[in-house]
Amino acid sequence: MLIDLSFHANCPDCRINSRLLQRRAGALLRECRVSGYGLSILLVDDQEISWLNDHYRHKSGPTNVLSFPFADGADSSLALVPVKELGDIIISVDTACREANEYKQSLHDRLTWLITHGLLHLLGYDHERSEADAILMQDKEQELLSRLQHSRSTAMTHLAINVDHIATIRQARGGVEPDPVAAAAICEMAGAAGIVVHLREDRRHIQDRDIMVLRETVKTKLNLEMGANKEIIGIALALKPDMVTLVPEKRQELTTEGGLDVAAQKKMLAKTIDKMSKAGIPVSLFVDPDSRQIKAAQEIGATFVEIHTGRYCDAASEKIREQEFQTIAAMAEEAYQIGLRVYAGHGLNYQTTARIAALDTIEELSIGHAIIARAAFVGLDQAVRDMLDIVQEASRLS
Ligand code: PXP
């Protein structure tokens, strides 16, 4: 099943969880028994959809969704090509956002409805043909959407690896080995989807040189973890990582202890997010699984939240671990429903990761210590692959 989901140049893509939409589109194809076919979903802005609406349908102004079946106007020689394509669904994200507000839906649910509607058009349904056809199409939409709520996930959760502790070992002797830059390359070659480093104010592990070389060498995604302080903000703006994760930072702590108190620091964090946004850097806020913090993160314009999994990982009993897991699942759902992209991390290891990876609202896990610790015995490549197996197996079964 090949679903190509892409964003056109001016489309505001950063708030969209493309993994989730791809998974939902895959489930829709399966429900419609056309999972052997390819489908293209293109997300555009109002200006582009207005042009397409005018050009192909002679209607003025933007619309929410357009469907172009593959057979329509296709070159007859394409009949010889051994691919089975349903066609293109083109959606205006601007209109989808307006409709989501109007119908009090999440943006992702609105986009799912539009994909469903577009797909049914590709399969020959047409609400404009007659009243009976309109009822038929609407009934089919309802049926598919309710089945979707119970369908299984197929897309994979991403694994990003924090290589700070490679630098911790290097700093223990103040030399040049082991190099976190080499570690990042090994992680990427083993299948990691991103590299995370925390440039601390006290430079206890990652150094300025590391982030500069990583910016040049990381091929997947460089996520710079940082406190929102003036010096580090300046460095981030000059470096332009693929994203930043803002965390609370205390000199005395061994590692990041808790999530940000976003609700209490809204003004300062909003200013930092604004500066990063102007430089084209999406911002994630590291928060405890707490509704108040998640709402505040959305209100001040964060693109992502990373939900702190520490209490779940460190739980003193299975009963407490279960409670913490349920809280994380509920908070990830809440964050996702209000349009945030959701990551999770801290303290995850080879025993605790699977359940979190199985949550389909969570796109990516950020894991460091457990992988670096295992690498001391089995090598970094193997340690990354072992964790990837867990993450991929869990997201396949969810
Ligand atoms: N996410 C954040 C925000 C962190 O501060 C850390 C620790 O640096 C991690 C994830 C990774 O945590 P761990 O090293 O326990 O896997």
Side-chain angles (χ1 to χ4, degrees):
M1 176 163 39
L2 182 67
I3 298 164
D4 179 40
L5 185 133
S6 47
F7 296 89
H8 259 199
N10 295 324
C11 171
D13 68 337
C14 63
R15 286 183 165 264
I16 292 170
N17 179 344
S18 47
R19 170 180 171 245
L20 188 102
L21 290 183
Q22 254 171 327
R23 192 177 59 235
R24 287 183 174 181
L28 286 168
L29 293 188
R30 275 194 303 281
E31 291 292 346
C32 294
R33 301 191 194 292
V34 285
S35 52
Y37 285 75
L39 174 68
S40 151
I41 301 169
L42 188 59
L43 300 170
V44 301
D45 63 358
D46 266 352
Q47 200 183 347
E48 188 165 352
I49 212 156
S50 299
W51 187 89
L52 292 165
N53 206 17
D54 179 32
H55 192 76
Y56 290 102
R57 299 174 73 225
H58 311 295
K59 294 194 175 175
S60 70
T63 183
N64 50 10
V65 58
L66 293 172
S67 295
F68 296 101
F70 182 65
D72 270 13
D75 180 337
S76 59
S77 65
L78 288 176
L80 301 172
V81 177
V83 285
K84 297 194 288 183
E85 289 287 340
L86 287 173
D88 299 327
I89 297 173
I90 301 169
I91 294 172
S92 165
V93 175
D94 293 330
T95 302
C97 282
R98 281 196 303 277
E99 291 180 347
N101 280 337
E102 189 180 331
Y103 300 125
K104 308 235 174 313
Q105 273 182 310
S106 75
L107 175 60
H108 291 96
D109 284 350
R110 191 66 201 156
L111 290 168
T112 306
W113 185 87
L114 293 170
I115 292 171
T116 310
H117 189 82
L119 175 64
L120 288 177
H121 273 303
L122 293 181
L123 295 175
Y125 288 80
D126 189 354
H127 54 93
E128 288 182 346
R129 217 162 22 217
S130 70
E131 208 169 307
D133 279 300
I135 293 169
L136 195 68
M137 186 164 174
Q138 204 176 8
D139 286 351
K140 188 71 186 170
E141 262 161 23
Q142 292 305 332
E143 179 197 324
L144 286 175
L145 288 167
S146 76
R147 285 211 205 165
L148 205 57
Q149 287 184 332
H150 304 105
S151 68
R152 289 168 158 244
S153 99
T154 53
M156 291 299 160
T157 308
H158 288 158
L159 172 63
I161 299 188
N162 181 316
V163 295
D164 290 351
H165 294 308
I166 296 289
T168 304
I169 301 172
R170 177 190 60 191
Q171 297 310 111
R173 286 290 166 95
V176 294
E177 280 182 338
D179 189 344
V181 175
I186 293 170
C187 292
E188 287 189 312
M189 283 190 286
I195 300 298
V196 188
V197 282
H198 185 172
L199 185 70
R200 281 182 167 267
E201 222 180 335
D202 62 11
R203 306 298 197 274
R204 69 174 70 160
H205 38 52
I206 293 295
Q207 306 296 305
D208 298 51
R209 164 268 177 198
D210 300 330
I211 59 167
M212 284 189 286
V213 185
L214 286 167
R215 175 67 292 194
E216 296 300 318
T217 54
V218 167
K219 308 280 187 305
T220 51
K221 181 179 69 180
L222 179 63
N223 181 350
L224 181 67
E225 193 182 321
M226 53 182 271
N229 76 66
K230 204 171 162 206
E231 184 216 358
I232 306 285
I233 290 172
I235 292 174
L237 291 172
L239 183 77
K240 290 200 184 351
D242 297 297
M243 63 182 287
V244 297
T245 299
L246 299 180
V247 297
E249 196 176 300
K250 288 192 219 124
R251 289 218 171 210
Q252 310 82 344
E253 68 192 357
L254 285 176
T255 178
T256 315
E257 280 169 358
L260 283 166
D261 190 350
V262 186
Q265 297 175 285
K266 267 178 149 176
K267 222 168 149 187
M268 181 277 285
L269 291 169
K271 251 171 123 178
T272 309
I273 291 174
D274 191 46
K275 280 187 195 152
M276 295 294 167
S277 301
K278 286 191 176 123
I281 307 168
V283 177
S284 177
L285 300 181
F286 183 55
V287 292
D288 290 326
D290 171 339
S291 183
R292 208 165 63 97
Q293 302 299 346
I294 287 165
K295 283 197 185 95
Q298 192 257 356
E299 280 161 18
I300 62 171
T303 300
F304 302 82
V305 281
E306 180 181 329
I307 296 184
H308 196 322
T309 48
R311 285 206 308 261
Y312 156 76
C313 294
D314 300 337
S317 69
E318 280 313 307
K319 188 171 168 225
I320 297 172
R321 196 188 307 284
E322 181 59 28
Q323 283 164 358
E324 294 295 343
F325 173 76
Q326 294 304 338
T327 305
I328 290 170
M331 291 303 106
E333 178 70 31
E334 179 171 331
Y336 160 75
Q337 287 297 345
I338 59 174
L340 288 161
R341 295 176 63 178
V342 188
Y343 287 5
H346 211 289
L348 291 170
N349 63 25
Y350 292 83
Q351 287 73 44
T352 52
T353 294
R355 289 194 81 190
I356 303 292
L359 293 171
D360 67 4
T361 43
I362 295 179
E363 278 182 69
E364 185 169 296
L365 303 178
S366 173
I367 307 183
H369 188 266
I371 294 175
I372 305 305
R374 191 182 187 91
F377 299 111
V378 303
L380 185 53
D381 177 83
Q382 190 60 47
V384 173
R385 287 177 198 275
D386 290 348
M387 187 59 89
L388 259 180
D389 283 348
I390 291 172
V391 171
Q392 293 182 345
E393 183 66 10
S395 45
R396 229 193 315 274
L397 294 177
S398 66

